[in-house]
Amino acid sequence: MIEKPRMDIRLRIDFGPTASLGPGKVALLEHIERVGSLSQAARELGLSYRRAWQLLDDLNHSFREPVASASVGGVGGGGVQLTAFAKELIAAYRRVEPAALSETRTHFGSLA
Amino acid sequence: MIEKPRMDIRLRIDFGPTASLGPGKVALLEHIERVGSLSQAARELGLSYRRAWQLLDDLNHSFREPVASASVGGVGGGGVQLTAFAKELIAAYRRVEPAALSETRTHFGSLA
């Protein structure tokens, strides 16, 4: 209790039995948004292309709207663009995270 | 957007590089508190005794105070009692969870 606690959280949101969003998927979406390529996003995150593709495919079927659309060349060869919906998901997640961390600090502050 | 979203969250709190608390460990502590036995708590949670013991040992070394003390017979044979500190951890986690879920609903309500 002499140091400031360096707390952090990992938050996974379940939207139903087959749809979830956590830090890994959000990071993937953010990388795709920045680099416009699934293979490069995967590389930067240390994921196999197959794993990144699975996560993106999973996200594309998790909600009422897709999160990404492939441009010329297909998902593998060409670029990938996030939908406006995906950007809303990222933004919502990045707003919830600090709010949840703040709640955590409030309740665990004296315990950690 | 016609159904009420059935959102849920899984929150893991990291207190440092080697100390974390998530739904699995909290459930284990709660079961130990209720049944007073690590082996029975493990059984009820579908964990191997070894896995439950590892989680408890991990928790016992994660914070400035232990979370459990073994009574006569040792951790395996005898009973296990939670410390007051463990009960505070459980209580804090169970207060943070609904607060974080409420934040999640606020920010994701229209997206899910």
Side-chain angles (χ1 to χ4, degrees), chain A residues 3-110:
Chain A
E3 293 174 9
K4 198 150 188 250
R6 282 165 303 171
M7 267 181 249
D8 205 354
I9 58 167
R10 284 179 69 87
L11 179 71
R12 194 183 83 191
I13 304 167
D14 293 318
F15 298 94
T18 61
S20 69
L21 190 68
K25 285 178 181 169
V26 171
L28 179 63
L29 290 177
E30 286 175 335
H31 275 71
I32 290 171
E33 182 177 23
R34 188 162 53 73
V35 301
S37 150
L38 184 59
S39 55
Q40 192 181 333
R43 247 191 327 271
E44 290 186 8
L45 289 165
L47 298 174
S48 69
Y49 178 79
R50 180 181 163 76
R51 176 67 182 144
W53 188 89
Q54 281 173 335
L55 289 171
L56 187 61
D57 187 60
D58 188 29
L59 282 165
N60 266 332
H61 295 93
S62 290
F63 303 98
R64 289 188 175 81
E65 299 183 39
V67 298
S69 56
S71 60
V72 181
V75 170
V80 184
Q81 285 213 317
L82 293 196
T83 62
F85 176 74
K87 293 172 190 176
E88 288 184 73
L89 282 181
I90 295 172
Y93 188 87
R94 293 304 184 197
R95 282 193 297 267
V96 168
E97 232 179 8
L101 180 57
S102 166
E103 291 288 346
T104 301
R105 290 215 163 103
T106 299
H107 292 293
F108 278 91
S110 59

Side-chain angles (χ1 to χ4, degrees), chain A residues 1 8 10 12 14 112, chain B residues 1 8 10 12 14 64 112:
Chain A
M1 319 214 176
D8 205 354
R10 284 179 69 87
R12 194 183 83 191
D14 293 318
Chain B
M1 322 221 172
D8 204 356
R10 284 178 69 87
R12 194 183 82 190
D14 292 320
R64 291 189 175 79

Side-chain angles (χ1 to χ4, degrees), chain B residues 52-70:
Chain B
W53 188 89
Q54 281 172 336
L55 289 172
L56 187 60
D57 188 59
D58 188 31
L59 282 165
N60 266 331
H61 295 93
S62 289
F63 303 97
R64 291 189 175 79
E65 299 183 39
V67 298
S69 56

